Amino acid sequence: MAEHDSNRWQALQARAINTLWRCLSGWSLAALWRAARLLGPAVYALSKRERRVTHLNLDVVYPALSVKKRKALARKSLCHSAATMLELGHAWLAKPEAVEAHILEVHGRDKLDSARAEGRGVIVLAPHFGNWEVLNFWLSSHFPFTAMYEPPKIEELEPIIRHGRERMGASLVPTNPRGVAALLKALKRSEAIGILPDQEPSWGSGVFAPFFGRGAYTATLLPKLVARTQARVVTGVALRVPGKGFAIHFLDADERVYSDDDATSATGVNASVEASIALAPEQYQWEYKRYRKVIEETQGVENVKGYRLY
């Protein structure tokens, strides 16, 4: 009975979320930004978890900022996170020509074009910054593009999410060895693939590397892909121009990402993410627990006072 009730509740949630996304897909970006400016302060005031994690992360990353400035940055960040959620309907369901029209600028496309002209694939590091679904839309509209995909916890949401991400031609592959094999094949065909560089991997799939000076458990998939394909690595973000659209930026990755040493490559990945965040720190998703895993856990210590952040 409990399982039945849980499934029924998930189905109701999925229908409500689907309806909301479809409704919001018809809103202008200006209206969505106005809504985000109302929703962000509400999240800050009412969601203890989001507020707390955001502040803890900003304390680590920007210790030189005054408490007042960090608080202001936290508020802005939650507004942008709210905007990203509200814009999902636009990115996934609005007419493609409408989404394309709101991509105001593209900087660094030549980095992708030149790599493919040389017969090399391109690995795009796409951190949780700005609106990464708009970045996926643009990449899959202009290049053969493959990305890993993990189904949502609410199973009923999968069709709309998958449709939104695949509708411009993206190929989604599972987060397992079969998916990795598909990424390798795409790179060997001189295509583009996307990797989330700031998502914490499971134990055994990463190493600790500095992220803004503090050790963060970072995936080690990248050096394996580079070593076998000689692909070029760039960081890609869709910077929000509030109420107007997006400016896509492709930045050269830190040279250390090409190292065959896992720790060195992971350090380069995190440095690349840091460089993209510098474009507009308020647009990064600071409410994510990037420092959840700690080095002491690998030594069997579950809680170290003064070291664990969350």
Side-chain angles (χ1 to χ4, degrees), residues 154-198:
I154 301 177
E155 293 180 7
E156 290 81 357
L157 288 177
E158 181 169 7
I160 194 168
I161 295 175
R162 180 175 283 276
H163 165 77
R165 290 180 175 173
E166 289 184 328
R167 68 174 177 150
M168 302 310 295
S171 175
L172 301 182
V173 298
T175 55
N176 58 28
R178 185 163 61 90
V180 174
L183 295 181
L184 284 167
K185 289 178 181 178
L187 290 173
K188 289 177 180 179
R189 294 192 299 265
S190 303
E191 297 177 0
I193 71 164
I195 289 180
L196 293 173
D198 53 352

Side-chain angles (χ1 to χ4, degrees), residues 179-299:
V180 174
L183 295 181
L184 284 167
K185 289 178 181 178
L187 290 173
K188 289 177 180 179
R189 294 192 299 265
S190 303
E191 297 177 0
I193 71 164
I195 289 180
L196 293 173
D198 53 352
Q199 191 167 46
E200 193 175 68
S202 58
W203 283 121
S205 299
V207 294
F208 284 95
F211 182 57
F212 287 102
R214 182 186 178 104
Y217 200 60
T218 306
T220 53
L221 174 61
L222 183 66
K224 298 175 177 62
L225 295 175
V226 171
R228 295 182 61 178
T229 65
Q230 302 303 305
R232 182 168 190 174
V233 186
V234 301
T235 309
V237 296
L239 180 75
R240 179 176 294 104
V241 182
K244 297 180 181 179
F246 305 91
I248 290 178
H249 294 259
F250 293 107
L251 311 173
D252 286 319
D254 185 284
E255 286 297 317
R256 286 171 289 185
V257 300
Y258 297 103
S259 172
D260 57 5
D261 175 72
D262 285 348
T264 302
S265 179
T267 299
V269 168
N270 288 342
S272 301
V273 175
E274 291 174 17
S276 66
I277 291 172
L279 293 173
E282 69 276 10
Q283 295 200 30
Y284 188 65
Q285 193 180 51
W286 294 111
E287 68 268 27
Y288 180 67
K289 292 184 177 181
R290 186 66 184 88
Y291 301 106
R292 177 165 28 203
K293 287 183 170 66
V294 297
I295 296 172
E296 281 78 358
E297 286 181 333
T298 65
Q299 300 169 351

Side-chain angles (χ1 to χ4, degrees), residues 45-155:
L46 301 175
S47 178
K48 180 179 178 181
R49 185 266 180 202
E50 307 298 320
R51 182 177 66 249
R52 176 175 174 271
V53 173
T54 298
H55 276 300
L56 287 171
N57 281 331
L58 292 177
D59 289 347
V60 170
V61 172
Y62 299 116
L65 285 182
S66 67
V67 172
K68 182 179 180 179
K69 288 184 177 180
R70 286 202 298 270
K71 183 175 288 189
L73 181 55
R75 291 178 182 274
K76 290 179 181 178
S77 173
L78 289 175
C79 276
H80 279 280
S81 291
T84 299
M85 296 302 103
L86 293 173
E87 290 163 357
L88 289 177
H90 175 77
W92 291 341
L93 298 168
K95 292 181 179 180
E97 55 268 28
V99 182
E100 185 74 34
H102 286 117
I103 297 174
L104 309 176
E105 303 170 345
V106 178
H107 303 274
R109 175 177 176 152
D110 58 296
K111 303 179 193 304
L112 286 75
D113 289 332
S114 62
R116 297 196 69 217
E118 296 168 3
R120 300 167 64 189
V122 181
I123 300 172
V124 181
L125 304 177
H128 290 88
F129 176 98
N131 192 317
W132 49 92
E133 297 296 345
V134 171
L135 177 68
N136 174 81
F137 173 94
W138 187 88
L139 282 166
S140 56
S141 299
H142 294 84
F143 296 92
F145 181 66
T146 302
M148 282 187 160
Y149 171 74
E150 190 168 349
K153 293 180 180 179
I154 301 177
E155 293 180 7

